[in-house]
DNA sequence: GCAGAAATAGAATAAATATTCCATCATGGA
DNA sequence: TCCATGATGGAATATTTATTCTATTTCTGC
């Protein structure tokens, strides 16, 4: 056979789809429609999908074979096996909450739930494991881990301080009580974890600069690889939160921060 | 026919399942297995589900009919239509992250992502809208909204303070800087939002008691309807976070708190 | 425009899956 | 103990669904 073996994960299938060369008209329609309806493949019949792509069923069959599958059933098995989470009753309940009155408190909570979930899924997709490992490595030997995060990043920083305490990681939270900057507390063998999102707070940027000048390892937890916080940092961890209204639920940022802290504790223990 | 009409949402199906009277053995097995595998109904065949429930296919068919459906296909349509979000590639990626080494930082983040997501789904399922509305109503007329949450609840309280500021809700965060209690700041027309989880911090309980004695409205955000925090509160909002290791991602708590704050701002604006 | 190759549609067939039916087995009340 | 009622399992059937095949059409290079 001239075709490469069939993909055996959904991810691989997606990539293969994207990397597909130019195709005859009908097969292209198949590719486009499948790519746009990945979540329905598991629960549709050949006839339904073919109708959606506006091709006859036989065209879809040919497409499956071109992709390396034996037939449609073969492809479908991939997607059926991948269905696990996302319990449908949760989706239903969420829809109910949302639609029963846009200004009801329940509807607002539903929106934040949804944006939190999307943020978490984004993080799962885009997490840069290499950067995370480097960040842990970098802070592993630090005497004290300095934490800074102000305004909306403050909850994250303060939770990290709590977690570090529990994990016996020497940490210091720069919270700016009384306007004190405490930047003198940075010692030569320390490290800094700075958390900030656009618009970046000047105090945070200032502390990063200072730590950088002293040659300390700096890890940034921020929303952009190119933002000002990324400049002074050795390692940048990015996380993209989905907003609802003017606010974000911080779910993904907290998950990443927690994972970092626990990994750091594990690294220090060995 | 003696059966009530078939459920036409997944939620309704769940409720009907739970409310089912005593059943003959095989039918009970069907009910149990379906209840425990809701997420596989959409992608399984009669034979597969029957095997899982350890009954012959015909027993499952009878069960479908007892539930008011014409047949299994009828029931399955319900679940197939309900599948939407939860793109499978997210699930795949998450699985990859988790399995590639339990002590890798990426795997830890994946665990926190997963527990965050479960917490959010729990919240969607169990949110008590009536209580939430009462909470908003209760705090609507308050002069100042007092916020307290210490230790691991502190990030939530501090984020609420930030959000209230942005929403022009007069709020005061009791953070205990310098060991001051500030309980004298409670004025007759104020309200208190207290956040605490087991083991409850005594400072929080103390402030609740004081506010209660003064006759102020008290809203509790906690993990149990029967815990000590629920005692002194007029309204109790419960949220159950899924732990990973000793820590929780706070996703659900934050989503609920944010929803409350925005709803409160909306109520005050009218 | 013509031969050859590739692509296509739709009907024919094969496979899988759901559904019904009935003979058998259990259960509870006279 | 026997009958009546209801439950059960499995084989037979009906239906849906996937897959293949082939005649026809559409491209491509010459």
């Amino acid at each position: 056979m001239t075709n490469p073996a069939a993909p055996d994960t959904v991810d691989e299938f997606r990539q293969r789809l994207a990397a597909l060369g130019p195709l005859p008209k009908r097969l292209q329609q198949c590719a486009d429609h499948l790519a746009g309806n990945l979540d329905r493949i598991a629960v549709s019949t050949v006839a339904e999908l073919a109708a959606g792509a506006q091709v006859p069923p036989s065209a879809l069959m040919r497409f499956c074979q071109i992709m390396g599958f034996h037939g449609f059933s073969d492809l479908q098995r991939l997607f059926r096996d991948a269905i696990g989470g996302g319990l449908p009753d949760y989706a239903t309940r969420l829809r109910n909450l949302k639609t029963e009155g846009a200004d009801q408190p329940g509807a607002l909570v539903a929106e934040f739930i949804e944006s939190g979930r999307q943020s978490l899924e984004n993080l799962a997709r885009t997490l840069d494991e290499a950067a995370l490992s480097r960040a842990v490595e970098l802070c592993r030997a630090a005497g004290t881990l300095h934490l800074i995060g102000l305004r909306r990043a403050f909850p994250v920083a303060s939770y990290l301080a709590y977690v570090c305490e529990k994990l016996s990681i020497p940490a210091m939270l720069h919270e700016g009580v009384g306007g004190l900057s405490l930047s003198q507390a940075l010692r030569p063998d320390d490290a800094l974890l700075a958390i900030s999102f656009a618009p970046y707070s000047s105090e945070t940027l200032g502390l990063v600069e200072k730590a950088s000048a002293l040659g300390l390892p700096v890890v940034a937890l921020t929303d952009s690889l190119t933002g000002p916080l990324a400049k002074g940092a050795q390692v940048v961890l990015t996380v993209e939160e989905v907003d609802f209204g003017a606010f974000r639920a911080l779910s993904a940022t907290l998950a990443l921060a927690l994972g970092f802290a626990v990994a750091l504790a594990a690294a220090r223990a060995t």
Side-chain angles (χ1 to χ4, degrees), chain A:
Chain A
M1 68 167 66
T2 129
N3 289 322
D8 51 29
T9 71
V10 172
D11 246 4
E12 211 181 318
F13 177 77
R14 276 167 49 89
Q15 291 173 335
R16 195 81 68 86
L17 262 190
L20 232 43
L23 289 173
K25 188 170 166 220
R26 292 283 113 109
L27 298 183
Q28 187 63 53
Q29 285 173 260
C30 290
D32 292 345
H33 186 254
L34 290 188
N37 295 275
L38 286 175
D39 53 348
R40 297 224 63 81
I41 295 180
V43 294
S44 302
T45 65
V46 175
E48 285 165 355
L49 288 172
Q54 303 192 289
V55 301
S58 53
L60 226 185
M61 291 303 299
R62 260 181 296 135
F63 181 78
C64 292
Q65 289 166 353
I66 280 178
M67 292 293 287
F69 297 98
H70 179 264
F72 173 74
S73 304
D74 207 18
L75 184 165
Q76 194 174 49
R77 179 165 39 253
L78 204 64
F79 282 81
R80 292 197 164 176
D81 291 347
I83 285 193
L87 296 165
D89 65 311
Y90 153 79
T92 314
R93 178 76 210 282
L94 203 63
R95 199 159 44 237
N96 291 347
L97 281 178
K98 274 197 201 169
T99 53
E100 75 190 5
D103 54 335
Q104 286 288 75
L108 292 168
V109 172
E111 295 286 355
F112 283 114
I113 290 173
E114 185 57 19
S115 52
R117 202 177 64 106
Q118 282 177 18
S119 299
L120 287 171
E121 296 191 357
N122 268 346
L123 176 60
R125 262 195 294 276
T126 63
L127 175 62
D128 182 346
E129 289 180 83
L132 182 60
S133 294
R134 270 182 286 129
V136 170
E137 216 39 57
L138 206 56
C139 297
R140 179 180 192 161
T144 296
L145 179 63
H146 294 265
L147 303 168
I148 189 167
L150 301 173
R151 312 188 144 274
R152 65 180 166 186
F154 179 66
V156 181
S158 64
Y159 196 36
L160 269 177
Y162 169 83
V163 169
C164 285
E165 163 78 23
K166 294 289 173 196
L167 290 170
S168 306
I169 300 172
M172 173 166 176
L173 178 63
H174 292 242
E175 41 179 327
V177 171
L180 301 174
S181 94
L182 300 181
S183 63
Q184 295 307 321
L186 298 174
R187 307 277 319 279
D189 65 342
D190 289 352
L192 173 65
L193 172 59
I195 309 162
S196 191
F197 306 105
Y200 307 90
S201 96
S202 57
E203 294 93 328
T204 304
L205 292 174
L207 193 64
V208 167
E209 206 172 312
K210 173 128 191 182
S212 208
L214 289 171
L216 300 191
V218 177
V219 174
L221 181 46
T222 183
D223 49 5
S224 153
L225 274 173
T226 57
L229 198 61
K231 291 288 193 323
Q234 265 92 60
V235 179
V236 182
L237 301 174
T238 56
V239 65
E240 192 189 325
E241 291 274 356
V242 175
D243 291 19
F244 168 66
F247 304 108
R248 49 189 62 175
L250 292 182
S251 314
T253 312
L254 281 170
L256 180 52
L258 274 172
F260 170 77
V262 175
L264 180 58
R268 289 171 60 100
T270 59

Coordinates of all heavy atoms in Angstrom, one line a residue, chain A residues 15 35 53 60 72 76 115 130 132 155 172 175 183 185 208 210 226 252:
Chain A
Q15 N -3.5 16.4 12.9 CA -2.3 16.8 12.3 C -2.2 16.4 10.8 O -1.9 17.1 9.9 CB -1.0 16.4 13.1 CG -0.9 17.0 14.4 CD 0.2 16.4 15.3 OE1 0.6 15.3 15.1 NE2 0.7 17.2 16.2
A35 N -12.8 18.0 9.5 CA -12.0 18.9 10.4 C -12.9 19.8 11.2 O -12.6 20.2 12.3 CB -11.1 19.7 9.5
A53 N -21.1 16.9 4.4 CA -20.0 17.3 3.5 C -20.5 17.5 2.0 O -19.7 17.9 1.2 CB -18.9 16.3 3.5
L60 N -16.9 9.5 1.0 CA -16.4 9.5 2.4 C -15.6 8.2 2.6 O -14.5 8.2 3.3 CB -17.5 9.6 3.4 CG -17.3 10.6 4.5 CD1 -18.4 10.6 5.5 CD2 -16.0 10.4 5.2
F72 N -14.7 3.4 7.3 CA -15.2 4.4 8.2 C -15.2 3.9 9.7 O -14.9 4.6 10.6 CB -16.6 4.8 7.8 CG -17.2 5.8 8.7 CD1 -16.8 7.1 8.8 CD2 -18.2 5.4 9.6 CE1 -17.3 8.0 9.7 CE2 -18.8 6.2 10.5 CZ -18.4 7.5 10.6
Q76 N -13.9 5.7 13.0 CA -14.9 6.1 14.1 C -14.4 5.5 15.4 O -14.6 6.1 16.5 CB -16.3 5.6 13.7 CG -17.3 6.2 14.6 CD -18.7 5.8 14.1 OE1 -19.0 4.6 13.9 NE2 -19.6 6.8 14.0
S115 N -16.0 29.6 31.1 CA -14.7 30.2 30.7 C -13.6 29.5 31.5 O -12.5 29.3 30.9 CB -14.8 31.7 30.9 OG -15.2 32.1 32.2
A130 N 8.6 21.7 28.3 CA 10.0 21.9 28.4 C 10.3 23.1 29.2 O 11.1 23.1 30.1 CB 10.6 22.1 27.0
L132 N 8.4 24.4 31.4 CA 8.0 24.1 32.8 C 9.1 23.3 33.5 O 9.5 23.7 34.7 CB 6.7 23.3 32.9 CG 6.2 22.9 34.2 CD1 5.8 24.2 35.0 CD2 4.9 22.1 34.1
P155 N -4.1 36.9 43.9 CA -4.6 35.6 44.4 C -3.7 34.5 44.1 O -3.5 33.6 44.9 CB -6.0 35.5 43.7 CG -6.4 36.9 43.5 CD -5.2 37.6 43.1
M172 N 8.8 33.8 49.9 CA 8.5 35.1 50.4 C 7.5 35.8 49.5 O 7.8 35.9 48.3 CB 9.8 35.8 50.5 CG 9.6 37.2 51.0 SD 11.2 37.9 51.5 CE 10.7 39.6 51.8
E175 N 4.0 41.5 48.9 CA 2.6 41.9 48.7 C 2.5 43.5 48.7 O 1.5 44.0 48.5 CB 1.7 41.3 49.7 CG 2.3 41.2 51.1 CD 1.4 40.6 52.1 OE1 0.2 40.8 51.9 OE2 1.9 39.9 53.0
S183 N 12.6 44.9 48.2 CA 13.5 44.4 47.2 C 14.9 44.1 47.7 O 15.6 43.4 47.1 CB 13.5 45.4 46.0 OG 14.1 46.6 46.4
A185 N 15.4 42.3 50.0 CA 15.4 40.9 50.5 C 16.0 39.9 49.5 O 16.2 38.8 49.8 CB 14.0 40.5 50.9
V208 N 11.3 42.4 38.8 CA 12.0 41.5 37.9 C 13.3 42.1 37.4 O 14.3 41.4 37.3 CB 11.0 41.2 36.7 CG1 11.8 40.6 35.5 CG2 9.8 40.3 37.1
K210 N 15.2 44.2 38.9 CA 16.1 44.2 40.0 C 16.8 42.8 40.1 O 18.0 42.7 40.2 CB 15.4 44.6 41.3 CG 16.3 44.5 42.5 CD 16.3 45.8 43.3 CE 17.4 45.7 44.3 NZ 17.5 46.9 45.2
T226 N 5.9 37.5 24.4 CA 6.6 38.7 24.0 C 6.3 39.9 24.8 O 6.9 41.0 24.6 CB 6.2 39.1 22.5 OG1 4.7 39.3 22.5 CG2 6.5 38.0 21.6
A252 N -6.9 28.3 35.0 CA -5.7 27.7 34.4 C -4.4 28.2 35.0 O -3.5 27.5 35.2 CB -5.7 28.1 32.9

